[in-house]
């Protein structure tokens, strides 16, 4: 992980992708609360922006922070479904979780 962070030719997004994927893989293998906490700290603002954008797209008045909490609950619940084969695996996987969680939230409000 240190080599990824120290690579000066990487963009900030590339570093976040690689480190997030490593942290998620660590959580998948060990269920370490520390790995999950770091994963949350590194990605919560980025995922909140995605949630807000999706809620805005559907003109929902839902609280984005509530939906973000559901997103991370789903990340926590389904680590066995994560595949760390690519450096950007967490970004791609979490975007799918954001999409599905927002749609589920809208359906539960009768707005699906």
């Amino acid at each position: 992980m240190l080599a990824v962070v120290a690579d000066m030719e990487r963009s900030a997004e590339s570093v976040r992708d690689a480190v997030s994927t490593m942290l998620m893989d660590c959580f998948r293998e060990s269920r370490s609360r520390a790995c999950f906490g770091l994963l949350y700290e590194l990605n919560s603002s980025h995922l909140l922006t995605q949630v807000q954008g999706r809620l805005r797209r559907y003109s929902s008045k839902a609280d984005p922070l509530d939906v973000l909490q559901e997103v991370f609950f789903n990340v926590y619940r389904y680590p066995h479904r994560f595949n760390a084969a690519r450096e950007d695996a967490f970004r791609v996987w979490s975007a799918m979780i954001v999409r599905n969680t927002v749609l589920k939230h809208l359906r539960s409000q009768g707005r699906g």
Side-chain angles (χ1 to χ4, degrees), residues 21-51:
T21 296
M22 286 182 228
L23 286 169
M24 185 61 209
D25 201 40
C26 171
F27 178 68
R28 182 183 60 79
E29 291 176 0
S30 68
R31 293 295 220 152
S32 163
R33 292 171 60 161
C35 287
F36 190 80
L38 290 170
L39 190 66
Y40 179 86
E41 291 298 321
L42 187 58
N43 290 281
S44 59
S45 64
H46 176 70
L47 292 177
L48 179 59
T49 301
Q50 286 184 36
V51 167

Side-chain angles (χ1 to χ4, degrees), residues 22-109:
M22 286 182 228
L23 286 169
M24 185 61 209
D25 201 40
C26 171
F27 178 68
R28 182 183 60 79
E29 291 176 0
S30 68
R31 293 295 220 152
S32 163
R33 292 171 60 161
C35 287
F36 190 80
L38 290 170
L39 190 66
Y40 179 86
E41 291 298 321
L42 187 58
N43 290 281
S44 59
S45 64
H46 176 70
L47 292 177
L48 179 59
T49 301
Q50 286 184 36
V51 167
Q52 289 169 328
R54 287 204 172 263
L55 290 174
R56 204 170 23 255
R57 183 177 306 148
Y58 294 108
S59 302
S60 175
K61 302 281 190 235
D63 183 353
L65 292 173
D66 286 345
V67 177
L68 179 65
Q69 183 176 0
E70 283 184 55
V71 167
F72 274 101
F73 178 69
N74 287 326
V75 168
Y76 188 85
R77 259 175 72 185
Y78 301 112
H80 59 280
R81 295 185 181 173
F82 181 71
N83 179 353
R86 296 175 25 174
E87 277 195 349
D88 65 348
F90 182 76
R91 179 170 43 89
V92 173
W93 188 66
S94 62
M96 185 177 61
I97 291 174
V98 166
R99 176 188 166 276
N100 292 341
T101 304
V102 167
L103 291 174
K104 180 182 172 192
H105 194 79
L106 293 173
R107 277 192 302 271
S108 74
Q109 293 182 326

